[in-house]
């Protein structure tokens, strides 16, 4: 759709339109509604919770045993979802946003027809997505991300059949392994890339991390439980490859100076999470590059304000800090928007904000330690030539390097060479890898290479959905 499809077609105008109903979106929606703002929440999931608290209402109501498996951190989503339901009258589930315009028009589809709502202010609470981990064999049946396995546990109480190997790095790797074990899955091994040198590099950040010592305690407890269950924890691994031809049969890797193979029916990969920036990039907001964790994030101030006056970003979509920080940032952003729209005085805003500013500061204290400890290894950022990078168009790393040698200067120009990033995912899965490969091939920093320029529709929308739109008023 072109920018000519604007909110002047008669779309309802609200004080605040929030995209996403995860931790940040739910907290912001309730806080804004309590301040007297008219709020619309658009969320593509069937129920509130986002990725962290996915299906929280259903699990609590119908699958009590799963609550203990998923843990107390997951249970923290219960009051957030309840508050959203109790305060926001215009919560739209199954609403996939596919275009956002500068004037505040937000176009979305509910699977039946397209519609539009206009916000005086827009809050992007789009959260995070797992970083793709392209390795040999990662496109085989039987290979998933660790987060996808967790989604199955939350949404349907399902665990993989047969032997499961988890591989990669990051706190989620151990959380999912611990949850799978408690759910009765046969976890064969947890293989992590983290080396002694990573711990030494992260050590200077430990004093600050102790301010959030509960995270460290939980992490150590998870490792102890995994070991107590008889599951090998193998560190310092690299050169991962999924075994099998028709489907995954295991994982091979290097560790301790030799090659290892572990048989498995399911291989779960994880290399951390990154901000979901498709919507912020479609709006051409200013972004910066996180050198440590190798991802782009929209530049915001402490209240979530971006380079565009009527657009705010809250939660992990503005940089990975975790669910507790996401909740705090959602509340702070809502308070600032309420202040901007004349619903809260400056003193009242600051008084309500103080506790959330302190909580965000305390919970964020762990991030420099974790981000350094689990910095993604270069071999996974810039895979070997034979590895598929763009799954939509079946483009390999070698194809991208060949195009770079022919003169493709950046991801957007690469589309003319290879159609890379032009499939249904719009570069979500390949974007970071493409930029890393081009930067390496041309000897330039990733910031200079840039990222895909995102155009609408952000998600696929059918002609039938467009045809069912309500006509503009006469």
């Amino acid at each position: 759709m072109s920018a000519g499809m604007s909110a002047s077609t008669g779309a309802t105008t609200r004080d605040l339109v929030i995209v996403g109903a995860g931790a940040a979106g739910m907290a912001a929606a309730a806080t804004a509604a309590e301040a007297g703002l008219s709020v619309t929440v658009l969320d593509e999931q069937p129920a509130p919770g986002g990725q962290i608290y996915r299906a929280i209402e259903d699990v609590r109501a119908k699958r009590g045993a799963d609550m203990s498996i998923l843990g107390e951190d997951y249970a923290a989503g219960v009051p957030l979802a309840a508050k959203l339901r109790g305060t926001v009258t215009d919560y739209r589930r199954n609403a996939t946003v596919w275009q956002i315009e500068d004037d505040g028009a937000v176009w979305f589809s509910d699977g039946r027809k397209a519609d539009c709502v206009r916000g005086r202010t827009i809050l992007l609470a789009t959260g995070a997505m797992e970083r793709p981990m392209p390795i040999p064999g990662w496109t085989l049946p039987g290979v998933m991300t660790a987060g996808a396995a967790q989604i199955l546990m939350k949404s349907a109480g399902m665990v993989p059949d047969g032997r499961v190997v988890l591989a990669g790095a990051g706190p989620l790797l151990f959380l999912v392994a611990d949850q799978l074990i408690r759910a009765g899955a046969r976890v064969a091994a947890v293989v992590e890339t983290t080396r002694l040198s990573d711990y030494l590099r992260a050590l200077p950040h430990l004093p600050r991390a102790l301010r959030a010592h509960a995270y460290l305690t939980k992490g150590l407890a998870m490792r102890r439980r995994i070991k107590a269950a008889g599951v090998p924890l193998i560190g310092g691994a690299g050169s991962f490859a999924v075994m099998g031809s028709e489907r995954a049969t295991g994982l091979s890797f290097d560790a301790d100076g030799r090659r290892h193979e572990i048989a498995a029916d399911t291989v779960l990969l994880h290399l951390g999470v990154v901000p979901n920036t498709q919507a912020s990039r479609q709006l051409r907001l200013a972004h910066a590059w996180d050198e440590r964790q190798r991802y782009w994030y929209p530049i915001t101030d402490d209240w979530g304000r971006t380079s565009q006056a009527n657009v705010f970003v809250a939660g992990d979509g503005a940089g990975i800090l975790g669910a507790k920080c996401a909740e705090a940032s959602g509340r702070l952003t809502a308070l600032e928007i309420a202040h901007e729209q004349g619903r809260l005085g400056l003193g009242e805003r600051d008084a309500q904000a103080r506790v959330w500013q302190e909580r965000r500061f305390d919970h964020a204290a762990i991030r420099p330690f974790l981000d350094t400890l689990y910095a993604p290894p270069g071999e996974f950022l810039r895979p070997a030539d034979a590895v598929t990078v763009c799954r939509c168009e079946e483009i390999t790393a070698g194809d991208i390097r060949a195009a770079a040698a022919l003169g493709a200067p950046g991801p957007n120009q690469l589309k003319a060479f290879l159609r890379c990033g032009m499939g249904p995912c719009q570069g979500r899965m390949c974007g970071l890898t493409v930029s890393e490969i081009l930067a390496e091939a041309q000897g330039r920093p990733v910031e200079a290479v840039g990222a895909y320029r995102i155009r609408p529709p952000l998600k696929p929308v059918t002609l039938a959905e467009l045809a069912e739109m309500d006509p503009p008023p006469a």
Side-chain angles (χ1 to χ4, degrees):
M1 274 311 144
S2 69
M5 179 176 275
S6 70
S8 61
T9 56
T12 301
T13 298
R14 309 283 286 177
D15 293 329
L16 176 61
V17 174
I18 299 175
V19 181
M26 290 190 294
T31 302
E34 288 175 336
L37 272 66
S38 59
V39 179
T40 291
V41 178
L42 303 174
D43 186 55
E44 64 183 16
Q45 302 301 328
Q51 303 301 341
I52 298 296
Y53 304 127
R54 181 184 284 261
I56 185 66
E57 295 170 318
D58 186 65
V59 174
R60 182 175 184 267
K62 302 175 183 177
R63 294 156 41 206
D66 288 349
M67 289 295 290
S68 60
I69 291 172
L70 295 168
E72 61 181 20
D73 288 340
Y74 177 68
V78 171
L80 284 173
K83 196 72 170 177
L84 172 71
R85 297 283 195 184
T87 56
V88 177
T89 58
D90 192 23
Y91 158 64
R92 315 269 187 109
R93 64 190 187 97
N94 297 318
T96 299
V97 172
W98 48 267
Q99 179 171 347
I100 306 173
E101 300 186 20
D102 292 344
D103 66 356
V106 183
W107 297 88
F108 63 97
S109 171
D110 62 4
R112 185 179 61 86
K113 73 173 186 176
D115 203 348
C116 179
V117 62
R118 186 177 185 277
R120 293 176 60 192
T121 303
I122 296 170
L123 171 57
L124 303 179
T126 51
M129 55 177 281
E130 280 188 276
R131 180 194 300 276
M133 190 174 172
I135 63 173
W138 77 307
T139 60
L140 286 170
V143 182
M144 304 168 58
T145 66
Q150 190 185 55
I151 286 172
L152 288 174
M153 282 192 283
K154 292 175 180 176
S155 60
M158 296 174 61
V159 298
D161 289 331
R163 289 163 58 88
V164 181
V165 169
L166 295 95
L172 185 64
L173 193 72
F174 302 100
L175 174 60
V176 173
D178 185 36
Q179 291 172 337
L180 285 171
I181 290 167
R182 283 189 279 172
R186 294 168 55 197
V187 178
V190 177
V191 184
E192 61 170 327
T193 63
T194 314
R195 305 173 186 272
L196 176 60
S197 58
D198 296 315
Y199 283 94
L200 295 176
R201 191 161 47 248
L203 195 58
H205 301 289
L206 183 59
R208 181 180 173 186
L210 292 175
R211 187 181 184 95
H213 59 85
Y215 291 97
L216 299 173
T217 302
K218 289 176 183 177
L220 292 172
M222 282 191 292
R223 295 180 73 101
R224 284 196 299 268
R225 287 195 296 268
I226 293 169
K227 288 182 177 179
V231 176
L233 283 175
I234 303 169
S239 300
F240 290 177
V242 178
M243 299 157 53
S245 55
E246 299 300 318
R247 62 163 292 115
T249 59
L251 181 76
S252 67
F253 56 93
D254 292 338
D256 302 323
R258 62 189 181 89
R259 194 72 180 167
H260 300 255
E261 293 185 354
I262 299 179
D265 302 286
T266 301
V267 177
L268 302 180
L269 302 176
H270 179 72
L271 202 64
V273 296
V274 299
N276 183 353
T277 60
Q278 297 292 99
S280 58
R281 284 208 167 277
Q282 189 246 295
L283 282 164
R284 305 291 188 265
L285 304 182
H287 287 69
W289 176 252
D290 187 299
E291 183 65 28
R292 186 181 294 157
Q293 276 292 303
R294 315 294 293 181
Y295 62 61
W296 297 98
Y297 62 93
I299 298 171
T300 64
D301 67 9
D302 288 342
W303 299 98
R305 185 180 289 102
T306 71
S307 57
Q308 186 168 315
N310 65 331
V311 179
F312 287 69
V313 181
D316 282 346
I320 305 303
L321 293 175
K324 294 297 185 182
C325 285
E327 177 187 352
S329 71
R331 295 191 188 280
L332 290 169
T333 298
L335 291 172
E336 173 62 9
I337 293 169
H339 169 62
E340 277 197 352
Q341 296 196 16
R343 304 304 178 92
L344 286 179
L346 182 63
E348 189 176 2
R349 180 205 69 176
D350 290 346
Q352 292 189 41
R354 193 166 297 114
V355 63
W356 299 110
Q357 289 167 332
E358 291 173 355
R359 290 186 190 181
R360 182 172 64 181
F361 181 80
D362 288 344
H363 287 288
I366 191 70
R367 294 314 308 187
F369 178 80
L370 293 179
D371 289 349
T372 304
L373 178 61
Y374 296 121
E379 68 171 283
F380 304 111
L381 301 175
R382 300 172 289 275
D385 283 352
V387 175
T388 297
V389 171
C390 175
R391 299 177 66 139
C392 296
E393 301 291 337
E394 298 184 345
I395 306 298
T396 67
D399 294 330
I400 297 168
R401 291 187 175 99
L406 289 173
N412 297 295
Q413 295 79 8
L414 186 68
K415 294 177 180 180
F417 288 75
L418 297 172
R419 288 189 52 83
C420 193
M422 296 180 70
C425 88
Q426 291 287 290
R428 282 178 182 80
M429 294 297 293
C430 67
L432 287 173
T433 309
V434 166
S435 294
E436 292 274 8
I437 293 172
L438 288 174
E440 179 190 49
Q442 299 170 354
R444 296 192 292 157
V446 174
E447 303 95 305
V449 169
Y452 283 129
R453 187 175 296 111
I454 305 301
R455 297 181 175 89
L458 292 169
K459 296 285 182 73
V461 57
T462 67
L463 290 175
E465 290 168 332
L466 295 176
E468 288 294 323
M469 285 179 61
D470 295 328

